[in-house]
Amino acid sequence: MRADVGGQAIVVKKRAKKYRAVVFLSTFVLAPLALLLAIGVSAIYIQGSSNESPVERSVDSPTKATANNAMTTWLSSKPAPLPGGTLVSWDGVISAVEPAEVEENGETVEQPGLETHQFTVRASSGQLFHSTVQVTWTEALGSRVVGAPSLEPLMRENEATAVDMVEVWPNHTLATAPDGIVPAVDVWLQAYTSGNSNKLRLAMKDPTSEHNYFPLTQVAQASVGEVTHFAPNPENPAEGLARVTVNIVWDGTPVDTNEQEFIGGATIQTYDLLLEDTDTASPTVVAWGGAGTGQDLTPFKNAFEGRAVDLKTSPFFSEEDVQRRMKESIDQYNKSMGEKNSAMAPKKEAE
């Protein structure tokens, strides 16, 4: 027998053992790892592809000024593309292509970017339209409009129904306004437009004598228009919110002495008011703010302390401005009517 026969058998056994180990490692360890790695790479690739979408929406743009100018120029062109049309809003931009440097015929050139700007425009009839302006640009050459804007009419729902359905104050349910609301609003309005801080505090039944208020000054006439919304406080039925429109005529508004009425009529303002004692015949306005601020109102929120209110030396309009406005209004009226039968609204003295 050869002396190395036993040794060869040992070597063969060792090689077989190594082979089985390699097969085990490949089948039960490396293969699953490779599969997991492939899945991970695919996920990263898919995620990267979704993040690198060629269309990105933005609220700002380097070509916004160019697009705005193109839209206003188009609306004012003759013949008018939309008679009496006005620009309502710029609604954002869709960026399709960003400027980039590319190789062409051995040279590096700048590939222009491309953006589409969104607008809302309004016709003189009140109809709203959606419109777009496409702009191409490069960093070196600037921007240029591509094509003319177009018009797409926007569908408008019944406005009255839409307003009735709106929850104008969060967590408040609309209800029918009590009969005493309009007289209470009128008491507040007359005090608010009196130019007198003390009158306003008394009208609001504010018990704190240190409280001061800043009323409107130089108002010739004020009246309550209508209460468009009312909602009782869900936690306190004696308290409620009212949205009201008021009619304001400023000092200096021309008056037609023949018809005994203001020329041009009154201006309209809208307020949210907080009222107390709404479950009685004598509600009281205790705070006010612009439309949409009602849910944030608290009793006597408009008061301030530690500063005197001197409305005589700090009028809403300067005396020179008032005189100028009065003269311009009368001159304009006389020019248009060809008559000299106008006077001016009397000014209230600040108290």
Side-chain angles (χ1 to χ4, degrees):
M1 294 179 62
R2 291 175 52 184
D4 61 346
V5 170
Q8 288 180 344
I10 295 172
V11 170
V12 170
K13 289 182 179 180
K14 288 182 176 180
R15 288 179 178 174
K17 188 175 181 180
K18 288 181 179 180
Y19 176 78
R20 288 195 297 270
V22 170
V23 171
F24 178 84
L25 182 65
S26 301
T27 304
F28 298 101
V29 179
L30 295 181
L33 287 176
L35 180 60
L36 290 174
L37 180 61
I39 294 173
V41 171
S42 299
I44 292 173
Y45 176 78
I46 293 172
Q47 183 178 7
S49 300
S50 62
N51 289 340
E52 295 175 2
S53 172
V55 177
E56 296 181 2
R57 297 184 182 273
S58 176
V59 295
D60 200 5
S61 162
T63 64
K64 180 178 178 181
T66 300
N68 270 312
N69 182 63
M71 177 58 71
T72 54
T73 301
W74 181 69
L75 288 172
S76 60
S77 61
K78 298 184 183 303
L82 184 65
T86 55
L87 177 60
V88 176
S89 63
W90 177 83
D91 303 324
V93 61
I94 298 175
S95 179
V97 179
E98 291 290 332
E101 292 184 349
V102 298
E103 294 291 334
E104 290 186 2
N105 301 324
E107 295 184 358
T108 301
V109 296
E110 188 175 14
Q111 174 182 300
L114 192 64
E115 293 188 332
T116 302
H117 294 259
Q118 317 284 315
F119 293 92
T120 299
V121 297
R122 180 183 184 275
S124 57
S125 64
Q127 173 68 53
L128 296 178
F129 296 85
H130 172 73
S131 187
T132 61
V133 173
Q134 193 173 52
V135 180
T136 182
W137 92 103
T138 66
E139 296 292 341
L141 301 178
S143 57
R144 182 172 63 87
V145 174
V146 181
S150 59
L151 295 172
E152 300 174 52
L154 296 177
M155 184 176 294
R156 182 173 58 186
E157 302 294 338
N158 183 281
E159 291 184 354
T161 302
V163 170
D164 291 342
M165 293 174 62
V166 169
E167 187 183 52
V168 293
W169 302 298
N171 303 318
H172 285 72
T173 302
L174 298 182
T176 302
D179 293 338
I181 295 297
V182 172
V185 172
D186 186 62
V187 169
W188 165 81
L189 180 61
Q190 300 310 317
Y192 182 50
T193 58
S194 69
N196 188 306
S197 178
N198 291 329
K199 286 183 179 180
L200 185 53
R201 185 180 64 251
L202 291 173
M204 297 171 64
K205 300 179 182 178
D206 186 345
T208 305
S209 59
E210 291 79 10
H211 279 178
N212 287 317
Y213 291 89
F214 206 152
L216 291 181
T217 63
Q218 300 191 0
V219 174
Q221 180 177 293
S223 61
V224 179
E226 60 177 333
V227 178
T228 60
H229 298 81
F230 176 79
N233 186 336
E235 299 179 356
N236 180 9
E239 187 177 86
L241 293 175
R243 177 164 296 178
V244 302
T245 60
V246 299
N247 307 308
I248 301 291
V249 178
W250 296 104
D251 286 344
T253 301
V255 178
D256 188 325
T257 54
N258 288 338
E259 300 294 333
Q260 292 299 309
E261 62 183 19
F262 291 101
I263 299 171
T267 62
I268 298 175
Q269 300 180 21
T270 301
Y271 290 91
D272 279 359
L273 305 176
L274 175 65
L275 297 98
E276 291 184 341
D277 300 326
T278 56
D279 56 346
T280 71
S282 303
T284 304
V285 174
V286 293
W288 71 90
T293 64
Q295 67 275 7
D296 300 320
L297 296 178
T298 55
F300 315 121
K301 181 178 181 179
N302 306 90
F304 59 90
E305 299 182 30
R307 184 162 62 95
V309 181
D310 187 355
L311 298 174
K312 290 185 178 180
T313 59
S314 302
F316 188 77
F317 295 117
S318 67
E319 185 65 25
E320 293 77 11
D321 193 31
V322 171
Q323 295 298 329
R324 177 181 59 79
R325 287 167 179 262
M326 292 163 58
K327 184 177 185 304
E328 289 177 353
S329 297
I330 295 173
D331 290 345
Q332 181 63 34
Y333 174 71
N334 290 335
K335 181 179 179 181
S336 61
M337 302 297 292
E339 298 177 356
K340 302 293 183 180
N341 62 337
S342 64
M344 295 171 290
K347 296 198 304 176
K348 289 184 179 180
E349 293 294 332
E351 300 179 30

